[in-house]
Amino acid sequence: MPGPLRGLFGSGAVPRDRHRPCPTELTTTTPGKPLSSAFMTWTWRLEDSEGNPVDAGELAHSEFPSQSDAESWIGETWRELAGSGVDQVTLLEAGREVYGPMSLHPAD
């Protein structure tokens, strides 16, 4: 590498400790599964017993940054959701169904 930077880095390569990860290096992939990153959002589809959408008003938090955040939220609010007419929920990752529908009512 000609010029003044040659003496700083020898071959011209940036030392590893000065490397800053780009956004793609902060993501993980699993073969056969979609890219999982900070750009993916997790949501709950709130439904009645027939699978129709239910508007739960202010209880319906729209997006979560992770599956665990979404699951924690449903664990904390399922009683209020059931009380506002939600019978079941389905977890979505970037619009893709992950699991559900899951009833918010006790098993008989």
Side-chain angles (χ1 to χ4, degrees), residues 66-79:
S66 68
Q67 182 175 354
S68 65
D69 287 335
E71 290 171 338
S72 292
W73 180 83
I74 204 75
E76 295 167 2
T77 61
W78 69 270
R79 289 177 185 87

Side-chain angles (χ1 to χ4, degrees), residues 80-103:
E80 292 87 355
L81 289 168
S84 67
V86 177
D87 293 309
Q88 60 191 26
V89 295
T90 299
L91 182 63
L92 307 170
E93 178 190 22
R96 178 186 62 88
E97 286 189 15
V98 177
Y99 63 79
M102 178 174 66
S103 176

Side-chain angles (χ1 to χ4, degrees), residues 16-93:
R16 187 70 185 151
D17 61 340
R18 293 192 183 187
H19 175 75
R20 299 215 194 286
C22 69
T24 57
E25 291 176 303
L26 298 176
T27 61
T28 59
T29 58
T30 302
K33 291 192 176 186
L35 184 66
S36 176
S37 74
F39 304 112
M40 296 285 190
T41 57
W42 296 81
T43 56
W44 288 104
R45 187 171 57 220
L46 311 177
E47 306 168 342
D48 63 17
S49 61
E50 301 293 318
N52 300 310
V54 173
D55 180 11
E58 291 184 23
L59 288 175
H61 186 277
S62 58
E63 296 180 348
F64 302 91
S66 68
Q67 182 175 354
S68 65
D69 287 335
E71 290 171 338
S72 292
W73 180 83
I74 204 75
E76 295 167 2
T77 61
W78 69 270
R79 289 177 185 87
E80 292 87 355
L81 289 168
S84 67
V86 177
D87 293 309
Q88 60 191 26
V89 295
T90 299
L91 182 63
L92 307 170
E93 178 190 22

